[in-house]
Amino acid sequence: MKIDIYRFKLGTFECIAVSDGTFAYPDHSFFVNAPKERLEQVLRRHGMQPGDITTPWTCLFVNTGQDRILVDTGGGPGAALFVPSVGKLLPNLQTEGIAPGDIDMVVLTHGHPDHIGGNTSAEGEPAFPNARYIMWKDEWEFWTSQPDLGQLEVEEEIKQTMLMVARSNLPPIQARLDLVEGEKEISPGIHAIAAPGHTPGHMALLISSGGERLLCISDAVLHPIHLEHPDWYPAFDLLREQAMATRRQLMDRAAAQKALVLGFHFPFPGLGHVIQKGKGWQWQPIETKA
Ligand SMILES: [Zn+2]
């Protein structure tokens, strides 16, 4: 199986989970308040070694027949300079015959560097020349004012990177931007869903076609282990209580509707179902053919 491109159908929609590459995060940054020994046990049970967690930076392409939509833009040329393992979104799309000019709509789930870094080219121009860009209004306003990242439990250097990437990747798309203020259908079958907490205006998408549903949760849950341990939180959630409430709401919805779920940092392709289990949920990844 190719590890960075996964095609699937949702009703009549042609979808591709496409990775921008992978990045290794220190395990404690994903589970800040998890007791160390307990975390090590759980990681081993999931077939992982304590230390770093290598996760994909997944994006989603959807061809609805009417619109060709890209959800998030990966790290882009800026990230690729510092992290050689990322910046592969455009070449991966190219492999599938999709050029930047083919994209009609770019949906930005939130303003973190691994989701907006590819908004612009190395020259600072919009990387998708024919696309409208969509973002939640609160999210745009947060990142384009003076964002207060004081509550984030990450190093100062990471906060500075977040601010710098927002400064270089948001203003250039302003002339092509449509802001979403409340839950609405942004293209036939594609609903923007409020999912705040990870960031103030973090957005999820409910995608429906032919009676099938996909709940694209982006970073509302960063790793399947958060489903089993809903009280373990990552360092990257700015508004922790709100993020936990959002996780509960989205996962209850996904379990009740038996929707397919896509988490952008879950093991690639990040697609699966959730079922209620104990205090949380169990992740059931889809079977991918070799
Ligand atoms: Zn992310």
Side-chain angles (χ1 to χ4, degrees), residues 69-90:
I69 300 168
L70 179 65
V71 186
D72 290 345
T73 63
L81 284 177
F82 301 100
V83 188
S85 56
V86 301
K88 313 209 182 301
L89 174 65
L90 294 185

Side-chain angles (χ1 to χ4, degrees), residues 8-274:
F8 61 104
K9 278 210 121 187
L10 186 83
T12 62
F13 292 179
E14 307 266 1
C15 306
I16 308 174
V18 50
S19 174
D20 187 50
T22 58
F23 191 77
Y25 298 83
D27 56 14
H28 61 84
S29 70
F30 265 43
F31 312 100
V32 182
N33 60 332
K36 196 168 182 293
E37 274 187 18
R38 181 83 183 103
L39 176 60
E40 290 183 359
Q41 274 174 5
V42 171
L43 289 171
R44 287 206 173 88
R45 190 154 46 76
H46 280 259
M48 299 153 73
Q49 288 302 316
D52 286 346
I53 296 187
T54 298
T55 82
W57 287 1
T58 304
C59 304
L60 173 67
F61 170 83
V62 182
N63 184 351
T64 67
Q66 178 173 321
D67 289 318
R68 281 158 298 186
I69 300 168
L70 179 65
V71 186
D72 290 345
T73 63
L81 284 177
F82 301 100
V83 188
S85 56
V86 301
K88 313 209 182 301
L89 174 65
L90 294 185
N92 279 340
L93 287 173
Q94 200 76 56
T95 308
E96 294 295 298
I98 302 161
D102 296 337
I103 303 291
D104 302 304
M105 182 187 280
V106 174
V107 180
L108 301 169
T109 61
H110 64 294
H112 277 169
D114 49 324
H115 299 261
I116 61 165
N119 284 2
T120 55
S121 64
E123 294 72 40
E125 298 295 324
F128 302 93
N130 301 315
R132 299 293 302 172
Y133 287 72
I134 312 270
M135 201 176 197
W136 205 271
K137 185 162 181 266
D138 294 349
E139 188 72 2
W140 175 266
E141 287 177 350
F142 177 76
W143 290 105
T144 53
S145 51
Q146 299 283 323
D148 178 3
L149 302 179
Q151 289 179 62
L152 274 189
E153 295 182 41
V154 301
E155 290 157 29
E156 189 53 34
E157 192 187 340
I158 297 178
K159 295 181 189 178
Q160 290 307 322
T161 301
M162 288 179 172
L163 298 175
M164 186 193 71
V165 173
R167 272 197 302 270
S168 52
N169 282 276
L170 293 178
I173 60 163
Q174 186 156 20
R176 301 152 170 276
L177 182 71
D178 294 320
L179 292 175
V180 177
E181 281 188 65
E183 298 197 348
K184 66 179 275 201
E185 192 169 40
I186 54 176
S187 170
I190 316 277
H191 281 87
I193 304 281
H198 182 64
T199 57
H202 181 276
M203 187 199 315
L205 293 173
L206 181 63
I207 304 173
S208 324
S209 173
E212 296 189 68
R213 291 174 218 258
L214 169 67
L215 187 62
C216 173
I217 60 172
S218 186
D219 285 9
V221 187
L222 283 188
H223 194 276
I225 290 175
H226 288 118
L227 299 178
E228 290 167 38
H229 297 274
D231 47 341
W232 290 359
Y233 59 83
F236 306 99
D237 284 355
L238 186 69
L239 308 166
R240 193 184 307 151
E241 297 296 321
Q242 197 176 31
M244 285 187 174
T246 289
R247 275 199 273 290
R248 189 154 289 283
Q249 232 172 44
L250 289 175
M251 291 304 102
D252 283 347
R253 182 176 194 154
Q257 299 187 343
K258 297 186 169 58
L260 188 61
V261 172
L262 173 58
F264 278 173
H265 296 294
F266 282 27
F268 194 81
L271 288 160
H273 293 86
V274 288

